[in-house]
């Protein structure tokens, strides 16, 4: 095991000896907030639909048209007024892995790319610990716009953005979805079950296997939970490797 790999594992809080028997080789496997559910939506922030972008229309868009549609989106008035830019997603369009987070933060809003701040650095280390470079996966978020002050996405904001993510998934056809954090997991699985109960098992998003793990921002605050995240990553990698997802 080379020194850099050891470094990534160290960032994950994993001892090198634990790995030898458990990690699939690279070729065998091809992901700040974790608050409680339940945002109420103030009436004055309720969104209108100024655009003729029905979910059916979005479901017919190709990748370029989808990207354009997202960058012009004003369905959530507050987010459209406060964002620097939309954050569509980044990575390999042929990737087997699709990592889905919550929403852009300040760094992502500034750079137009998901997971580029501190949480993103830990996400990169988590991926490398299972043998994946960031460029080998696709990374997106439930929301394409930054919620002001990094507040949690509102229910109707997630609903407005959902057709975009659904279309991204249909076009990318990933073989594994890694949902990072409570917001991503609950939105994708349409549940309010706590993340502690969602992780540790293989769910499905349509036909695609989906594994839930903790958000790297949460892991930065609670490094003692990295062990569980490591277990989740191995579950996802092993599921993919064994073809249980297909
Ligand atoms: N947190 C997320 O959930 N997504 C990002 O892109 C950045 C931080």
């Amino acid at each position: 095991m080379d020194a850099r790999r050891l470094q990534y594992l160290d960032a994950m809080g994993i001892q090198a000896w634990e790995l030898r028997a458990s990690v699939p080789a690279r070729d065998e496997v091809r992901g700040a907030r974790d608050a409680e559910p339940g945002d109420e939506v103030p009436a004055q922030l309720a969104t209108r639909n100024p655009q003729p972008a029905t979910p059916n229309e979005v479901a017919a868009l190709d990748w370029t048209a989808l990207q354009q549609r997202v960058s012009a989106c004003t369905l959530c008035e507050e987010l459209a007024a406060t964002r620097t830019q939309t954050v569509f997603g980044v990575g390999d369009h042929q990737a087997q892995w699709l990592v889905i987070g919550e929403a852009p933060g300040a760094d992502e809003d500034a750079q137009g790319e998901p997971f580029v701040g501190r949480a993103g650095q830990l996400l990169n280390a988590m991926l490398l610990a299972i043998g994946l470079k960031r460029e080998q996966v696709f990374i997106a978020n439930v929301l394409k716009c930054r919620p002001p002050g990094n507040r949690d996405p509102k229910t109707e904001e997630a609903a407005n953005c959902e057709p975009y993510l659904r279309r991204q998934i249909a076009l990318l056809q990933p073989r594994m979805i890694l949902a990072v954090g409570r917001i991503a997991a609950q939105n994708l699985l349409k549940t309010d079950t706590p993340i502690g109960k969602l992780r540790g098992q293989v769910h499905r998003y349509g036909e695609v296997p989906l594994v839930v793990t903790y958000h790297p921002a949460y892991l930065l605050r609670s490094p003692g939970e990295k062990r569980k995240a490591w277990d989740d990553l191995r579950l996802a990698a092993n599921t993919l490797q064994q073809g249980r997802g297909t």
Side-chain angles (χ1 to χ4, degrees), residues 5 18 78-79 86 90 94 114 116 119 126-129 149 155 161 173 190 197 201 205 214 219 223 232-233 235 241:
R5 183 94 188 271
E18 294 181 79
E78 186 193 16
L79 302 189
T86 56
V90 72
Q94 311 298 324
V116 290
M126 291 164 70
L127 292 171
L128 282 165
T155 305
C161 235
Q173 297 190 286
K190 301 274 176 256
K197 291 209 165 85
Q201 51 185 300
Y205 182 93
Y214 290 117
L219 295 174
D232 298 331
L233 292 170
L235 172 64
Q241 185 190 16

Side-chain angles (χ1 to χ4, degrees), residues 32-33 87 100-105 108 113-117 119-120 139-141 180 215 217:
R33 302 173 290 263
V87 179
I100 303 179
E102 177 180 333
E108 292 75 20
E113 184 171 326
F115 283 103
V116 290
I139 307 176
N141 282 309
V180 296
H215 196 287

